[in-house]
């Protein structure tokens, strides 16, 4: 794809997102939910009403669950992902339940795409109160250090680490200009420890922790609170890929966690909510581990 074609595609999707968002009907009430575990608590969090939440990588998993949760609270959700069909499904499902959400295609590996995504959100809403930089890939789960490929390594780092840096590069000036904001970055329990698998993924998540702490140190005086969530095993497509759906392997994951179960998407979205809330206003440069006590059991600290 030529650079001119890329720019045309970015401009086209940006214009489409803005046009759709401008005509969207915003629900007056929070979404009804059918299950506290699957859909989240049916409660009102008025502090998030009309707040603008920007999310990268929200077409499935934790990003999708977080978009749904904040939309129930009345937030204006502007999100991206590379899978257009899933992005539109998430957008339509949220709107059908009375929430406000706009999907825009963006590829966090490409600077122009990230810039266009942030600018489109700013054009639509005039501000970004909360940014959840969630986009990530696991790559080849069978890879070893001695047999990994440059293509696999580059794709993981370009998405998980470079993409997160690019997101903050364009989010931070917006928040500086408006007088503050909240940024939550997605790491992993594997950004703190290692297992004998997926070395590039592990390295990328260690890097996420490092760049997040550096950014937090630089921007504390700007009233921009920058924190990190580090989930342990979570019921997402990634875990399904690792376990292959094998009940025995899933049971082994559950048995390895003191609380007796892997995390749900809602569990992790709850951590993002804390870091985005006034209750978490004094949390800055914090690494919030959401692992059901797994680290405590393994390290005894």
């Amino acid at each position: 794809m030529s650079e001119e074609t890329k720019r045309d595609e970015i401009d086209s999707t940006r214009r489409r997102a803005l046009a759709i968002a401008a005509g969207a009907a915003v629900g007056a009430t929070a979404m009804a939910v059918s299950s506290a575990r699957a859909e989240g608590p049916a409660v009102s969090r008025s502090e998030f009403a009309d707040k603008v939440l920007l999310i990268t990588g929200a077409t499935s998993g934790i990003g999708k669950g977080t978009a749904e949760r904040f939309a129930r609270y009345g937030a204006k959700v502007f999100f991206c992902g590379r899978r257009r069909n899933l992005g539109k499904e998430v957008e339509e499902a949220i709107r059908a339940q009375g929430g406000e959400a706009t999907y825009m295609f963006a590829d966090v590996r490409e600077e122009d795409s990230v810039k266009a995504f942030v600018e489109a959100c700013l054009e639509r809403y005039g501000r970004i109160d909360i940014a959840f930089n969630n986009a990530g890939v696991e790559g080849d789960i069978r890879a070893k250090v001695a047999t990994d490929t440059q293509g696999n390594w580059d794709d993981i780092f370009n998405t998980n680490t470079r993409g997160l840096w690019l997101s903050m590069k364009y989010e931070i000036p917006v928040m500086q200009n408006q007088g503050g904001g909240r940024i939550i970055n997605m790491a992993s329990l594997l950004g703190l420890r290692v297992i004998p698998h997926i070395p590039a993924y592990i390295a990328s998540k260690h890097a996420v922790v490092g760049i997040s702490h550096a950014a937090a140190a630089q921007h504390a005086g700007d009233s921009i609170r920058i924190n990190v969530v580090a989930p342990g095993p979570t019921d997402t497509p990634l875990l399904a890929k690792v376990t292959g759906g094998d009940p025995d392997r899933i049971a082994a994951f559950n048995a390895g966690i003191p609380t007796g179960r892997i995390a749900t998407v809602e569990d992790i979205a709850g951590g993002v909510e804390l870091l985005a809330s006034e209750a978490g206003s004094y949390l800055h440069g914090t690494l919030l581990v959401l692992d059901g006590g797994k680290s405590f059991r393994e390290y005894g600290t």
Side-chain angles (χ1 to χ4, degrees), residues 183-185 212 216 225-229 275 280 283-287:
I183 294 176
I184 299 101
N185 291 332
S212 299
R225 301 290 172 256
I226 301 174
N227 294 291
V228 189
V229 288
L275 295 174
L283 297 173
H284 182 63
T286 296
L287 180 63

Side-chain angles (χ1 to χ4, degrees), residues 187-195 197-198 201-203 205-206 230-231:
S188 167
L189 185 58
L190 294 179
L192 309 175
R193 51 163 292 190
V194 297
I195 57 175
H197 308 286
I198 51 176
Y201 178 84
I202 291 170
K205 292 302 185 178
H206 275 72

Side-chain angles (χ1 to χ4, degrees), residues 130-231:
I130 306 158
F132 179 33
N133 296 317
N134 171 71
V137 296
E138 72 281 356
D140 183 357
I141 63 173
R142 301 163 300 177
K144 305 288 186 183
V145 170
T147 59
D148 208 346
T149 65
Q150 182 173 328
N152 183 60
W153 187 273
D154 287 348
D155 187 47
I156 290 171
F157 263 82
N158 287 344
T159 305
N160 297 3
T161 308
R162 183 172 179 266
L164 183 139
W165 161 63
L166 286 172
S167 298
M168 288 199 293
K169 176 179 178 177
Y170 289 100
E171 294 158 356
I172 286 170
V174 173
M175 293 183 177
Q176 286 175 314
N177 289 337
Q178 70 192 22
R182 309 283 169 87
I183 294 176
I184 299 101
N185 291 332
M186 174 58 76
S188 167
L189 185 58
L190 294 179
L192 309 175
R193 51 163 292 190
V194 297
I195 57 175
H197 308 286
I198 51 176
Y201 178 84
I202 291 170
S204 76
K205 292 302 185 178
H206 275 72
V208 164
V209 173
I211 190 173
S212 299
H213 285 164
Q218 291 174 351
H219 294 287
D222 295 328
S223 296
I224 301 173
R225 301 290 172 256
I226 301 174
N227 294 291
V228 189
V229 288

Side-chain angles (χ1 to χ4, degrees), residues 16-17 20-21 58-59 79 83-95 101-105:
R16 183 195 64 79
I20 291 172
T59 57
F79 70 99
R83 295 172 292 181
R84 290 180 172 85
N85 290 343
L86 290 180
K88 291 303 298 177
E89 287 176 9
V90 173
E91 176 187 270
E92 291 167 4
I94 289 174
R95 290 181 179 179
T102 300
Y103 165 72
M104 176 177 172
F105 171 82

